[in-house]
Amino acid sequence: MTFLALMLAYVSGVMLFIGLYWAGYFDTQHGKHVKSAVFNIIEFVLNKLPSPIAELLINIFEYFFTEKNKIFVLLYCALVLSGNLVLLVDVIPILYIVNKEDNHIQVPFILLVASSILYCLCSLKDPGVIAEGSNLKYYKMYRFDNQLYRPNLWCSTCGRKKPARSKHCGYCNKCVARFDHHCVWTNQCIGYCNHGYFIFFLVSIVAMCFNGVHMTLTALSEIVEKSKLWETKYVDSNGDHQPMTFTTLIQYLFLKYPRKVFLVAYLPVMTVYLGLFLLYHLVILVKNQTTNERYKIYKLKVNNVIKDYKNVYDRGLLRNLKEVFAPECKTLSNSAKK
């Protein structure tokens, strides 16, 4: 039970950190103090370590979080495959004992294939890189709002004029049209040409996690019911027989079926987090905004540069949907080749 509690605390801590980061907490005055204190502690620890070890840790951190790499891609694949393997080996056989007539493999298989295809589309498809031939097309696509984007600005790295809504990605070292964010899990930018695939990918992942929770809970409920665990008694530390409690039941199940209980504890957290992340992207989709733009608006308001922001890119629900889910990327790629 102690391990389970530590695992839940760890997952909750990570989700809290990610939530605070996305909410912009670390850009507030109090958040900056917290961030500064953390960096000071890390610097103090590194200074106490031998120079070769400290340098190695810094290089590892920079490789993981400041350079484009496939570490998180491999980690994502490992998590998805291991989760589905647990379903196949530990969960589905129990479900077939409960109900032999239903096809318990069909739904997880469809979700796995769908999410894999969408993942590949997000990772491999051009997100809208501004190349020599497509620069003019992207430049004419959006007008400048003179708040977040101003005309006649040049990218100091690419040496090209910056179209409105574009941004140079430090990971990919390229300018991307309608830049939303760089996703380390797909090792690719999310921009004009693949934002729609990314939203569908989030839908598939949320559905896969939710289905995993449902299937695993059904299997564990069947184990509890068939074994009549609620009717059994356990021996406490004094040697007395006590009626089964929820805490003791979870501890027993975790010791005997650790992989199933781990999924039940981990997947609901991921379902909620990814569901909220999906909801966030749907909200900015309806408004025709990007994560990059929301962050820039927040920074400008915090620094009292602007008080109100008028979104000139909101063209109505249907046009906003068309822009994300049916972008004119083929025309742009053809012009770039010419």
Side-chain angles (χ1 to χ4, degrees), residues 222-253:
E222 185 62 23
I223 291 172
V224 172
E225 184 178 343
K226 291 294 184 182
S227 304
K228 299 182 179 180
L229 292 179
W230 281 116
E231 300 174 14
T232 60
K233 294 185 178 182
Y234 71 95
V235 180
D236 62 14
S237 57
N238 297 322
D240 298 327
H241 288 77
Q242 301 290 344
M244 181 64 70
T245 62
F246 179 76
T247 303
T248 307
L249 177 64
I250 295 297
Q251 184 176 2
Y252 169 80
L253 291 173

Side-chain angles (χ1 to χ4, degrees), residues 150-166:
R150 299 182 185 279
N152 300 319
L153 293 179
W154 292 73
C155 176
S156 58
T157 306
C158 295
R160 297 190 183 96
K161 264 189 176 183
K162 296 179 66 173
R165 312 193 78 182
S166 68

Side-chain angles (χ1 to χ4, degrees), residues 107-337:
V107 173
F109 177 76
I110 292 174
L111 291 175
L112 177 61
V113 171
S115 65
S116 299
I117 293 173
L118 290 166
Y119 181 83
C120 290
L121 288 171
C122 288
S123 301
L124 303 177
K125 187 174 176 59
D126 174 19
V129 174
I130 300 173
E132 192 68 35
S134 62
N135 193 5
L136 183 61
K137 290 277 187 178
Y138 281 122
Y139 201 82
K140 292 180 178 180
M141 186 176 293
Y142 299 109
R143 64 190 177 102
F144 294 89
D145 61 0
N146 291 313
Q147 296 178 89
L148 304 179
Y149 307 104
R150 299 182 185 279
N152 300 319
L153 293 179
W154 292 73
C155 176
S156 58
T157 306
C158 295
R160 297 190 183 96
K161 264 189 176 183
K162 296 179 66 173
R165 312 193 78 182
S166 68
K167 184 181 184 300
H168 185 88
C169 176
Y171 289 92
C172 299
N173 196 29
K174 296 175 182 177
C175 281
V176 177
R178 200 183 179 277
F179 180 87
D180 188 85
H181 71 286
H182 180 89
C183 177
V184 296
W185 297 103
T186 61
N187 199 32
Q188 181 67 284
C189 289
I190 306 302
Y192 177 74
C193 291
N194 66 348
H195 198 173
Y197 292 124
F198 182 73
I199 292 176
F200 282 127
F201 168 65
L202 288 179
V203 172
S204 69
I205 290 295
V206 171
M208 189 162 58
C209 290
F210 181 82
N211 182 66
V213 174
H214 171 70
M215 294 178 69
T216 310
L217 277 177
T218 302
L220 287 174
S221 299
E222 185 62 23
I223 291 172
V224 172
E225 184 178 343
K226 291 294 184 182
S227 304
K228 299 182 179 180
L229 292 179
W230 281 116
E231 300 174 14
T232 60
K233 294 185 178 182
Y234 71 95
V235 180
D236 62 14
S237 57
N238 297 322
D240 298 327
H241 288 77
Q242 301 290 344
M244 181 64 70
T245 62
F246 179 76
T247 303
T248 307
L249 177 64
I250 295 297
Q251 184 176 2
Y252 169 80
L253 291 173
F254 181 73
L255 291 174
K256 193 163 185 179
Y257 310 101
R259 293 190 292 266
K260 297 183 186 69
V261 176
F262 179 83
L263 281 185
V264 169
Y266 176 72
L267 286 181
V269 178
M270 293 306 301
T271 303
V272 172
Y273 169 69
L274 291 172
L276 291 175
F277 191 49
L278 170 62
L279 180 62
Y280 161 78
H281 272 277
L282 292 176
V283 169
I284 64 174
L285 165 63
V286 170
K287 297 180 179 180
N288 201 335
Q289 282 188 329
T290 65
T291 299
N292 178 53
E293 289 167 353
R294 288 182 69 87
Y295 179 74
K296 292 178 74 170
I297 294 169
Y298 172 78
K299 292 282 287 185
L300 290 174
K301 287 184 177 180
V302 167
N303 296 324
N304 295 319
V305 177
I306 60 173
K307 290 184 178 180
D308 297 312
Y309 173 74
K310 182 180 179 181
N311 184 12
V312 300
Y313 305 114
D314 186 356
R315 302 187 298 166
L317 179 60
L318 294 180
R319 288 186 177 181
N320 293 344
L321 291 173
K322 181 178 181 297
E323 184 176 316
V324 172
F325 294 114
E328 299 175 359
C329 292
K330 289 185 178 179
T331 304
L332 292 166
S333 61
N334 291 334
S335 65
K337 291 177 182 178

Side-chain angles (χ1 to χ4, degrees), residues 75-128:
L75 179 59
Y76 168 80
C77 293
L79 289 172
V80 172
L81 290 176
S82 61
N84 280 276
L85 186 62
V86 171
L87 287 180
L88 182 64
V89 175
D90 294 343
V91 176
I92 290 178
I94 296 175
L95 297 179
Y96 271 111
I97 294 174
V98 178
N99 190 341
K100 296 180 180 180
E101 297 180 358
D102 288 349
N103 188 342
H104 301 288
I105 297 179
Q106 185 177 21
V107 173
F109 177 76
I110 292 174
L111 291 175
L112 177 61
V113 171
S115 65
S116 299
I117 293 173
L118 290 166
Y119 181 83
C120 290
L121 288 171
C122 288
S123 301
L124 303 177
K125 187 174 176 59
D126 174 19

